[in-house]
Amino acid sequence: MKPTPDKYSLIIIGGGIVGLSTAITWSKNRDSSQYPVLLLEKQPIVGGMVTSFKRKGFIFDTAQLVPDPLELFKYLEIDCELIKFKNYFSRIFLVNGNNATEIRIPSGYNEFREMLLDRYPSQKKSINRFFDYSKKMFDELQYLKLEPTLFDLLFILFKCPKTVFNSGRTFSEYFRKFGFSDPELSEIFDVFAAFSGLPSERAVAMMTVAAMNTSLLGPWRPTKGFIHLPHAMKRKALDLGCEIRTRANVKQIVVENGIATGVRLETGEFIKSDTIVTTIDTKTALFNLIGRDVLHEINPKYTEKADQVNMSPSSMIISLGLDDYIDLDSLGLNCGYNVITTGKGTFERLFKAFDNGEYILDDKCFHTAVICPSLITGGKPVIIIRVVPMPIGNWKLLRETDYSLYTKKKEEVADFYIKQIERYLIPDLSKHIIVRDIASPATFERYSGSPSGSNYDMSPYPDNFGLKRLPTRTPVKGLFQPKFSHGIWPSMQAGIQVVDMILGGEIMNGYSRYREKIPAPVIRD
Ligand SMILES: Cc1cc2nc3c(=O)[nH]c(=O)nc-3n(C[C@H](O)[C@H](O)[C@H](O)COP(=O)(O)OP(=O)(O)OC[C@H]3O[C@@H](n4cnc5c(N)ncnc54)[C@H](O)[C@@H]3O)c2cc1C
């Protein structure tokens, strides 16, 4: 056994995808025998929100797809076999009374454009302008930096005019610029905004454009289930010499005179390090593990900014194990997401209820995504129903105080959505169900430790995005919080970004997006 160092060069709090990516990136760039790194995870296994579970022989996953993963998997040297979704990236079912109009979104940016041109010839000019402009704006991302200098900012102004111009715009404001007149098109793009976690009236334009660009490249999933992803990442981190301790619940980030000096575990053990990366819920880390007063004394502005951060919503996940007498393939389920929505501002209405801690069960106002992983990876037939947004509300309290009411309420939500899916997508679905497992926001609160059960960390509102985002470098010297998340791909990016920041830009010159070919550093005289 390796001797335990008196002091670590880096401590990482949390063993989800961000924590594991941070651990691998550090160990790839520093010899861990000289610069020891320790990852602390409070659960018995790593992975956080990316996990799998078994019910009566059926295997279910929490996460469902990873968009555009290959470059990052290669950099992080993750040995986990992936399989690409076939056919469509998604199918959208726009509900209109008892019928639904089906719109098939192919994988690939150009394929999507072609499909739209074909379906909406009268919108040709707007479609072409939108796609050309959005592609250029997405490409500008490669020049953005996390901590730009004044010189970088001037360079960005010159090199990234579209990003700068649209930085304060929501996706719906952005979309209106292109003069679309067919309402069905805004319904389609509203679904893309929903993939970025917010309605188009709220999501910052760049987030939706980026989600669209990366997702359309084709979604993938681990062949043997999502739990194999964090396991493979853990193996890599261990191979590279990183130390990982599970069942290690961090209770305090110790700060002396504005400087991080180490962490204290629930057991009372103190572990020293001058550099700490927290990958757990940001507000919990800042306000509970450090303390609001301590942070406020160091930097009131940062504290207020952290206070104002809106966390992304939680969800309800209904996992169904089905019998063999259902032909999901013939129903077209061999694709990415199948979105069923009542459209016409539905997602915004659901969010208004969410803002008040409520949810709506109304067959004139619902939005859900159905996915069928077993058709991609094989195995017993399963389908997953995602219901977003779902507030934490009193789910946690109910779970702890009245389990039978908690179960009853979950069943009510599941029954409602199964009914809608039977109506528009899978006739007689309920007759084929053998197992049903319903995860509530209280489940995700347990997986991640986030009090809101948030699935995607901070919400991408325009006032917390890009340069306005809560900075990764906290005002506590030596403490970093790279959490912005929004899925597995951004979580991996976040891990690489934060190590790059700690190492003074050694890996990607301070750019915010890892690419195999990082743009050359800006030359300064
Ligand atoms: C139901 C669901 C479906 C999703 N589907 C997709 C999808 O299809 N595609 C996609 O890209 N993304 C998806 N996501 C989002 C994706 O899973 C997350 O963005 C990503 O996993 C976040 O990783 P993380 O490391 O930031 O956080 P987490 O996974 O929350 O990891 C944080 C870790 O910190 C640990 N921790 C917390 N407190 C402490 C403490 N005090 N001490 C020590 N350890 C602590 C937790 O136990 C946890 O392991 C989904 C999320 C959910 C919940």
Side-chain angles (χ1 to χ4, degrees), residues 226-443:
F226 264 93
I227 189 71
H228 292 276
L229 171 59
H231 283 174
M233 294 178 81
K234 178 182 171 185
R235 271 198 312 275
K236 185 74 220 170
L238 291 173
D239 282 353
L240 290 167
C242 171
E243 193 180 329
I244 296 181
R245 280 170 68 178
T246 50
R247 298 178 205 272
N249 189 3
V250 177
K251 275 287 162 199
Q252 191 190 1
I253 297 171
V254 182
V255 177
E256 288 167 20
N257 303 320
I259 302 169
T261 57
V263 299
R264 195 173 302 285
L265 302 186
E266 194 177 33
T267 54
E269 184 186 353
F270 175 62
I271 312 173
K272 274 194 210 164
S273 179
D274 297 335
T275 311
I276 298 168
V277 171
T278 162
T279 73
I280 67 168
D281 177 83
T282 302
K283 289 191 191 191
T284 305
L286 297 177
F287 299 149
N288 298 358
L289 300 198
I290 298 176
R292 186 183 261 100
D293 295 348
V294 176
L295 192 70
H296 195 268
E297 204 165 294
I298 299 169
N299 189 325
K301 255 184 143 177
Y302 191 91
T303 314
E304 280 152 27
K305 176 84 188 159
D307 253 328
Q308 285 156 11
V309 163
N310 267 307
M311 294 306 283
S312 67
S314 195
S315 63
M316 193 79 117
I317 305 292
I318 304 153
S319 304
L320 303 179
L322 307 177
D323 64 27
D324 292 322
Y325 303 100
I326 186 161
D327 186 355
L328 296 166
D329 204 4
S330 72
L331 294 168
L333 282 146
N334 195 352
C335 65
Y337 281 113
N338 298 273
V339 176
I340 312 176
T341 179
T342 44
K344 302 187 187 81
T346 287
F347 212 47
E348 176 59 27
R349 283 204 295 283
L350 296 174
F351 262 81
K352 287 218 168 92
F354 170 82
D355 290 341
N356 298 324
E358 292 160 6
Y359 59 90
I360 297 174
L361 294 183
D362 175 355
D363 52 15
K364 293 194 180 53
C365 180
F366 71 91
H367 183 106
T368 186
V370 180
I371 196 161
C372 180
S374 54
L375 284 180
I376 319 295
T377 48
K380 292 174 150 210
V382 295
I383 68 163
I384 312 295
I385 304 165
R386 289 210 61 179
V387 179
V388 185
M390 180 60 73
I392 186 86
N394 59 3
W395 287 109
K396 184 168 188 271
L397 186 72
L398 269 186
R399 188 178 185 281
E400 286 163 0
T401 56
D402 190 343
Y403 200 79
S404 72
L405 184 58
Y406 171 70
T407 309
K408 192 171 155 233
K409 291 246 163 223
K410 285 199 304 181
E411 298 288 346
E412 252 171 45
V413 178
D415 287 343
F416 171 83
Y417 280 96
I418 290 169
K419 196 175 98 197
Q420 306 309 330
I421 291 161
E422 283 191 314
R423 204 161 157 197
Y424 300 108
L425 186 65
I426 311 176
D428 293 330
L429 171 62
S430 44
K431 291 188 187 145
H432 297 279
I433 299 172
I434 297 179
V435 173
R436 70 185 207 172
D437 180 276
I438 309 159
S440 80
T443 318

Side-chain angles (χ1 to χ4, degrees), residues 13-19 40-43 47-50 62-67 248-250 279-280 289 315 317 337 386 444 447-449 455-457 483 485-489 491:
I13 309 174
I17 300 299
V18 179
L40 298 165
E41 166 55 52
K42 76 171 179 184
Q43 299 288 355
M49 288 195 276
V50 175
T62 45
Q64 295 305 325
L65 51 87
V66 200
N249 189 3
V250 177
T279 73
I280 67 168
L289 300 198
S315 63
I317 305 292
Y337 281 113
R386 289 210 61 179
F444 302 120
Y447 283 162
S448 66
N455 285 184
Y456 288 97
D457 285 296
K483 290 276 277 192
S485 186
H486 286 278
I488 294 167
W489 185 85
S491 296

Side-chain angles (χ1 to χ4, degrees), residues 509-525:
N509 305 327
Y511 287 104
S512 56
R513 179 163 184 223
Y514 174 78
R515 313 255 18 211
E516 254 179 349
K517 283 205 180 88
I518 298 289
V522 178
I523 308 295
R524 298 183 178 88
D525 292 329

